[in-house]
Amino acid sequence: MSSKPILLRFEGRDGQFRLTVYPTDEFPALLSKILDNLPKAVDSRTLTLSNKPYAGEDRLISSLKGVAIESVGLKHGDKLYVKYKELPQVNGDSVAPAATPLQRHKFSNRLDKLPILPTKDLPFPRQPQQSSAATFKNPWEAVCQSPLDDGLDKKDGKISRPRDQKMCKHGLKGMCDYCMPLEPFSPEYLEERKIKHLSFHSYLRKINSATNKPELKSSYMPPLSEPYYRVKLDCPSGHPQWPEGICTKCQPSAITLQPQLFRMIDHVEFASPGIIDSFLNFWRRCGAQRIGYLYGHYEEYTEVPLGIKAVVEAIYEPPQIDEIDGCTLSSWEGEKDTDEVARLCGLQKVGVIFTDLIDAGAGNGTVVCKRHMDSYYLSSLEVMFSAKLQAQNPKATKWSDTGRFGSDFVTCVVSGDEDGGIAISCFQVSNSAVEMAQADLIEPSADPTVMLVRNNNDEPDSESRLRYIPEVFYRRINEYGASVQENAKPSFPIEYLFVTLTHGFPKDFTGVFNSSDFPVENREAIGESQDLRSVAKKLGISGSDNEREKGVRSVADFHLLCFIHGMGVLNEEEQSLLCHVAKTHDLAEGFQLLNTTGWATLLAILQESGERPPKRPSPTSIVGADDEHLNDNEQLAKRFKRTSLI
């Protein structure tokens, strides 16, 4: 090409950049170079060039096919103005079209002969929030909250106080500072009731009162924002994408860890002590640890202002390899089926529970106290495990700029207490811990009391090139009682990454499942398995009405429902009816279930598998205790007499 290159300047709403071009180049040939300097969410079909920032001659770059740069009179150093539209967003994430040949080169950059993967999956990918709306710009406008959150949003949360007989000087209908209702985040009330953390909705009222003030009549702004400790890939500065380039706009700020002031769930309630007792039977029989998922629902917790509690109705034990010092989860192929059964029963996955028990060897049932104030309550490995599960189960809320904030997923540990008894402890990992785990900034340590901060210098691999580790600090009280800031590298205390919850049992049983004698799944290691004979025994297969009524009542067992669902005998309507009967214990609907085709097929399968209705008692079984002293001949004569027709 004989002509000399020239420099053109471009300016848009996201900044300025320069390109070196030839005067004989056509405008469509500049599309790829222009897109390299614009954000990722730009719709290339709407890219427009203009000679003025306002009221100029706007032309789509795609319409300038065959038009050279020199033909419009552009010279070295001239400026063009770029205008464009962004792609629509779905739940806060841009929807990118299929890559064109002009754009594919952006994903083929290499550094030190290693491929750069800007869209590489994070260690703990957070599941996007689903919504019925196809596209929306503001996620908080289309997010669907739970009915419980909608109900708590409508409450004012005020804490009423009685009239003070000493300080109140007004009448019965008056009010003063000594008897006026308190806010749900009142420090005095929380300290008096010994409530350690604010509830989520109390914390929301506290920060929303400072963010959105109705008296100013300003536009609504979501008061919540999730922490983000990763490099922003859509930097408007125009530099190459990370890890080839970085600036102060796209790099994360320094992290200062502080104990989380609130908790998403305040209390964990087990519907029946038999749920925990059945879960502990595995450890009692073999001494190995066990892990299970909690299925239940969420309710309002009145002991805490605007509080929420997780009510556990059942524990499902997935496939796992259990050992004395821990357990390893195996592939769980039937997880979706189990979640579907729980959904039909009005339940959902609310948490995880695992044991950490060691027999004290005293012979009186006591266990070793491993977790206490001088050791740890939740290890660094368990924090990473809980962070992964909470990231997979985000909470949908309209008060966050991303449409989600935190998680309602809880973690329960069954271990020994200071008295040698078996106790339950409940926790939740903080939002900062979940984001640090997603950003791959931390890793568990051999010391369970501390968490390690990753160091890229120790890991010269391709993944460390994609990881940017900002400065991490934490504040503590030193020996002089002063609050000081410490560098978190290489490790920091684990207490900054979780909050504690309370737990308990109801005074009266109000659970969904009133039957728990069906074998628990995945317990073949201790000789306990689920089979058709167990189902037949549970349902009481016989011809009497009493046994049929017993079978209707006995279906209120979560493990039995999951096993029947896995057989595939019942269709969707019959399975839904079965779960509804198990939930409501309605005999009328139960007898309606008995008359369905699928249930009749199930009974036929159970009878053909070898489980027959009990036969009429034989004459030999009628011999009573009074006949034991007779000899064989006398007993034979007596049996013959009983079988006579006279």
Side-chain angles (χ1 to χ4, degrees), residues 40 118-119 228 231-235 241-242 250:
K40 183 180 178 182
T119 57
Y228 193 82
V231 178
K232 298 179 181 179
L233 299 181
D234 301 332
C235 183
Q241 198 176 28
W242 168 261
C250 60

Side-chain angles (χ1 to χ4, degrees), residues 355-403:
T355 62
D356 185 17
L357 299 169
I358 298 178
D359 189 11
N364 55 359
T366 58
V367 294
V368 177
C369 179
K370 296 175 55 180
R371 302 169 186 257
H372 50 82
M373 183 177 60
D374 297 328
S375 61
Y376 65 95
Y377 291 103
L378 203 64
S379 68
S380 57
L381 182 62
E382 294 164 353
V383 167
M384 294 293 291
F385 176 67
S386 300
K388 176 182 178 180
L389 295 177
Q390 289 186 203
Q392 294 174 352
N393 298 271
K395 179 184 180 69
T397 176
K398 64 182 181 182
W399 302 100
S400 174
D401 54 0
T402 59

Side-chain angles (χ1 to χ4, degrees), residues 96-155:
T100 62
L102 299 176
Q103 296 171 322
R104 290 193 183 111
H105 76 283
K106 294 179 63 176
F107 304 98
S108 60
N109 298 329
R110 290 180 177 271
L111 181 65
D112 295 340
K113 298 182 180 181
L114 293 174
I116 298 175
L117 306 175
T119 57
K120 182 178 180 61
D121 292 336
L122 298 172
F124 302 143
R126 186 186 293 268
Q127 296 179 352
Q129 179 65 35
Q130 301 295 330
S131 175
S132 58
T135 59
F136 51 90
K137 186 176 181 179
N138 298 326
W140 62 86
E141 295 178 354
V143 71
C144 182
Q145 290 190 148
S146 66
L148 177 61
D149 289 327
D150 290 336
L152 291 175
D153 288 342
K154 297 177 181 178
K155 294 186 176 182

Side-chain angles (χ1 to χ4, degrees), residues 53-319:
Y54 303 101
E57 298 180 2
D58 299 345
R59 296 288 298 274
L60 288 173
I61 194 171
S62 58
S63 65
L64 297 176
K65 185 176 182 181
V67 180
I69 296 177
E70 60 183 1
S71 63
V72 297
L74 292 176
K75 297 178 297 182
H76 180 75
D78 288 347
K79 178 184 286 188
L80 293 176
Y81 296 91
V82 183
K83 302 177 183 180
Y84 52 84
K85 296 181 180 179
E86 295 184 354
L87 293 169
Q89 295 183 343
V90 177
N91 294 347
D93 298 329
S94 298
V95 179
T100 62
L102 299 176
Q103 296 171 322
R104 290 193 183 111
H105 76 283
K106 294 179 63 176
F107 304 98
S108 60
N109 298 329
R110 290 180 177 271
L111 181 65
D112 295 340
K113 298 182 180 181
L114 293 174
I116 298 175
L117 306 175
T119 57
K120 182 178 180 61
D121 292 336
L122 298 172
F124 302 143
R126 186 186 293 268
Q127 296 179 352
Q129 179 65 35
Q130 301 295 330
S131 175
S132 58
T135 59
F136 51 90
K137 186 176 181 179
N138 298 326
W140 62 86
E141 295 178 354
V143 71
C144 182
Q145 290 190 148
S146 66
L148 177 61
D149 289 327
D150 290 336
L152 291 175
D153 288 342
K154 297 177 181 178
K155 294 186 176 182
D156 57 1
K158 300 286 186 177
I159 304 172
S160 60
R161 293 189 295 174
R163 185 173 181 271
D164 195 327
Q165 299 297 333
K166 295 182 179 180
M167 306 301 298
C168 294
K169 306 301 182 182
H170 51 77
L172 296 178
K173 295 184 179 180
M175 184 180 297
C176 65
D177 293 340
Y178 298 99
C179 61
M180 65 181 300
L182 298 175
E183 295 289 343
F185 47 84
S186 172
E188 297 81 6
Y189 180 83
L190 298 178
E191 184 178 359
E192 179 185 355
R193 296 298 182 93
K194 296 183 179 181
I195 301 175
K196 190 175 181 180
H197 301 281
L198 286 172
S199 65
F200 168 67
H201 284 271
S202 297
Y203 174 75
L204 181 60
R205 301 293 173 86
K206 181 178 180 180
I207 63 174
N208 189 46
S209 59
T211 305
N212 297 296
K213 297 181 179 180
E215 60 272 12
L216 299 179
K217 297 182 179 180
S218 59
S219 60
Y220 169 77
M221 294 181 61
L224 298 177
S225 179
E226 287 191 310
Y228 193 82
Y229 303 146
R230 287 162 279 178
V231 178
K232 298 179 181 179
L233 299 181
D234 301 332
C235 183
S237 300
H239 60 75
Q241 198 176 28
W242 168 261
E244 291 184 338
I246 195 171
C247 68
T248 56
K249 293 183 180 180
C250 60
Q251 72 179 14
S253 304
I255 304 172
T256 302
L257 295 175
Q258 296 180 355
Q260 187 167 284
L261 301 178
F262 64 94
R263 53 193 178 189
M264 307 299 295
I265 299 297
D266 303 281
H267 184 75
V268 179
E269 179 181 291
F270 296 91
S272 171
I275 299 175
I276 299 297
D277 188 66
S278 175
F279 180 68
L280 292 177
N281 284 338
F282 185 90
W283 173 80
R284 294 191 181 107
R285 295 182 60 177
C286 66
Q289 309 305 326
R290 195 67 171 169
I291 187 172
Y293 287 103
L294 307 175
Y295 282 90
H297 57 276
Y298 299 103
E299 295 180 359
E300 183 180 359
Y301 186 52
T302 56
E303 299 298 326
V304 175
L306 300 177
I308 300 176
K309 66 178 179 181
V311 181
V312 180
E313 300 286 354
I315 299 178
Y316 188 92
E317 302 175 11

Side-chain angles (χ1 to χ4, degrees), residues 490-527:
S491 63
F492 60 92
I494 199 68
E495 287 78 12
Y496 288 87
L497 299 182
F498 66 87
V499 294
T500 58
L501 316 178
T502 59
H503 75 281
F505 299 90
K507 296 181 179 179
D508 301 324
F509 174 76
T510 58
V512 175
F513 307 112
N514 55 10
S515 180
S516 60
D517 54 350
F518 187 74
V520 182
E521 60 282 335
N522 301 311
R523 286 192 176 184
E524 290 79 5
I526 59 175

